[in-house]
Amino acid sequence: IVGVAAGEDYSYGARAAGRADSLKRRMAKEGIPVDILPLLQADGKKISSTDVKTALAAGDILLANELLTQPYFMLGRVSHAHGRGSTFGYPTANILPDGSRLLPACGVYATSVSVDGKVYPGGTNVGAKPTFGDDVTSVETFIIDFDGDIYGKEIKLAFYDKLRDIKKFPSADALARQLDGDVARIRKLFAEKTYES
């Protein structure tokens, strides 16, 4: 072991009786340095991983990002799916959630997409696709102003805001009209602020 880092409120052992200062003393006997890190705070309140998880579960990306040092993101390799989006002008890059990152609550989000060293605005659907009778949770992103084959490539999605909940539309045309509005909102968001992933 090279060293140990622990937050000042760290606890361990039976009934969490051990504290950061006792860890430091115990490790010193073994010649292992321990850094005790101060708590991070927002508005005078301790930032905890539980707070971040709760914000993500609620789809409150704005709050989650306030608590993090960078926008919440996930990495994934683009895989083939049904290809329905291409039939009505909205092809998507699909990544399979692998359980290594928490998914935000189901919904449609404004995201940035890093692919091949460039960053594009995107609209990401997290969850099912009820318009097509598909109840499998997936992560699908329409990359705005992008045209290329990225199957098999790894992309990075950074989440910036939740646009709306998922809903079932009466037809693919009705969904396309909604997506037109979503893209307009995303363009406005990105015009007002430079987002980087």
Side-chain angles (χ1 to χ4, degrees):
I1 298 176
V2 176
V4 176
E8 61 183 332
D9 65 344
Y10 176 71
S11 61
Y12 65 95
R15 296 194 174 112
R19 298 286 182 221
D21 56 348
S22 66
L23 175 68
K24 189 167 188 170
R25 289 193 300 272
R26 290 182 69 173
M27 293 293 106
K29 293 176 184 177
E30 305 295 327
I32 299 171
V34 175
D35 284 332
I36 307 298
L37 306 175
L39 298 176
L40 297 177
Q41 296 190 348
D43 297 326
K45 181 185 171 193
K46 178 184 85 168
I47 297 173
S48 72
S49 59
T50 300
D51 294 333
V52 175
K53 291 174 184 176
T54 300
L56 290 172
D60 192 345
I61 292 296
L62 294 176
L63 175 58
N65 287 348
E66 282 181 23
L67 301 176
L68 296 167
T69 58
Q70 62 178 309
Y72 188 73
F73 72 90
M74 62 179 54
L75 304 173
R77 198 163 299 283
V78 178
S79 62
H80 287 276
H82 299 289
R84 296 187 192 103
S86 298
T87 64
F88 55 91
Y90 283 96
T92 56
N94 306 281
I95 61 175
L96 298 174
D98 63 4
S100 65
R101 303 280 286 181
L102 288 174
L103 289 179
C106 292
V108 178
Y109 295 87
T111 55
S112 69
V113 187
S114 294
V115 56
D116 289 336
K118 294 184 179 179
V119 181
Y120 300 87
T124 299
N125 184 92
V126 176
K129 295 162 285 297
T131 301
F132 302 103
D134 186 346
D135 61 358
V136 175
T137 296
S138 64
V139 179
E140 294 186 314
T141 301
F142 173 67
I143 307 173
I144 299 170
D145 299 327
F146 176 82
D147 182 23
D149 182 359
I150 55 173
Y151 286 114
K153 292 186 178 181
E154 187 170 79
I155 62 173
K156 176 182 177 184
L157 299 177
F159 289 77
Y160 287 96
D161 203 355
K162 184 177 180 183
L163 301 177
R164 61 179 174 84
D165 290 331
I166 293 173
K167 62 179 281 190
K168 183 176 182 177
F169 292 89
S171 67
D173 286 343
L175 173 57
R177 288 193 294 274
Q178 174 65 59
L179 293 176
D180 289 344
D182 293 342
V183 167
R185 285 183 64 193
I186 293 166
R187 286 189 187 280
K188 187 172 187 295
L189 284 170
F190 275 72
E192 292 170 352
K193 183 175 179 179
T194 301
Y195 293 124
E196 298 178 4
S197 68

